[in-house]
Amino acid sequence: MKNTIRAGRIAGDPTVGLCERICIEVPRVYDGCRDTFDNQTVLFELTDISAQATPPFTFISAHSYGTAVWENITVTPLDNGRARVAGDVVIPVSVTFTDALGNPYTGKSELRLHKDTVLCVPRRAVVPYEFRVTALFAGQTGNFIGERTVSVTGCYTYVLKVIVPVDILVPTYGYAVYPECTDCGGNACTALLSLPLFP
C-alpha cells in the first residue's frame, strides 16, 4: 500500500513525484455527439444460418457484436470550424433463435442508420482527422415474419466522434511499479465473496 508509483487515486499534492514530461501518441476526440433510441422496431434479413436449422424459427434475442462503422461519409464545410457530416452508421447484429426442433442457432445481420449531423472538424493539417462510431443494439422482443426475416423491437445508441491522431506532452511519475501479487490461500470462495461490489 506504500507504493505510490501505480495507478489509483492521488492522496495529497499531485505534483509530488512528477519526474518527467513524456510524449505520447493518442487519438484525440476533437468533437462528438450521441443518439439514443428506445422501443424501435427493425427488420433484419439474416445470413449465416446453419443448413441444419429447421423452420419455423422462434426468436430469442438480438444484440450487437463486433465493431460498428460509419461509412459513405460526406463532409460539407460550414462556418466557425463546423461541418455538416452525413453518412451511414452500420451496426453488426447477431440474432439468436431456436428452430422447429428446439435447437438454438444464430444468424447475422446489420442495422444501417443514415445520420446527418453538424460536428466541429479540425483545420487542414499534415495529419488527417477521421470519423469513428461506437454503437450498441439490444432487442428482447421479436418474431419471424419470413424464413430469414425477423422483426425486432429494441433499443440502440451510438456515439459519433471526430478523431485526430496527435502527439501530446503529459507530466508523469515515471514507469509504473507493480505490487507483489497477493495469494488468496485458504478458502478462495471466502476471499472472492468478501470482495466489494465496486472498486
Side-chain angles (χ1 to χ4, degrees):
M1 296 303 293
K2 294 180 180 180
N3 176 16
T4 59
I5 311 178
R6 64 175 181 177
R9 292 183 178 273
I10 296 176
D13 186 353
T15 64
V16 173
L18 290 178
C19 59
E20 63 179 331
R21 292 187 298 265
I22 185 171
C23 180
I24 60 174
E25 182 183 40
V26 295
R28 176 189 172 188
V29 180
Y30 194 84
D31 196 13
C33 63
R34 177 183 178 183
D35 275 338
T36 301
F37 299 89
D38 192 13
N39 199 33
Q40 301 290 305
T41 300
V42 184
L43 292 180
F44 293 113
E45 293 291 333
L46 301 186
T47 61
D48 297 334
I49 295 178
S50 171
Q52 297 177 345
T54 305
F57 302 140
T58 302
F59 174 85
I60 297 178
S61 66
H63 58 84
S64 55
Y65 74 96
T67 303
V69 295
W70 194 7
E71 59 185 29
N72 303 323
I73 298 174
T74 60
V75 180
T76 305
L78 301 174
D79 57 352
N80 299 324
R82 301 181 307 157
R84 178 180 178 181
V85 184
D88 299 320
V89 174
V90 183
I91 307 172
V93 175
S94 175
V95 176
T96 303
F97 60 91
T98 56
D99 71 350
L101 303 178
N103 298 316
Y105 292 95
T106 60
K108 306 299 183 188
S109 189
E110 64 182 25
L111 174 59
R112 183 175 290 268
L113 309 162
H114 184 74
K115 183 61 181 176
D116 194 340
T117 189
V118 175
L119 292 169
C120 291
V121 295
R123 290 180 294 179
R124 188 179 178 201
V126 173
V127 178
Y129 62 85
E130 60 186 80
F131 297 101
R132 294 185 192 174
V133 59
T134 301
L136 289 174
F137 173 86
Q140 299 297 327
T141 304
N143 61 285
F144 279 82
I145 59 176
E147 186 171 314
R148 292 177 177 266
T149 305
V150 60
S151 174
V152 179
T153 300
C155 55
Y156 55 87
T157 184
Y158 55 83
V159 179
L160 306 177
K161 299 177 184 178
V162 182
I163 301 293
V164 184
V166 295
D167 297 340
I168 64 171
L169 282 175
V170 295
T172 78
Y173 301 94
Y175 293 111
V177 175
Y178 291 93
E180 295 293 327
C181 294
T182 302
D183 187 3
C184 287
N187 190 329
C189 287
T190 301
L192 178 65
L193 296 177
S194 65
L195 292 173
L197 182 59
F198 300 105

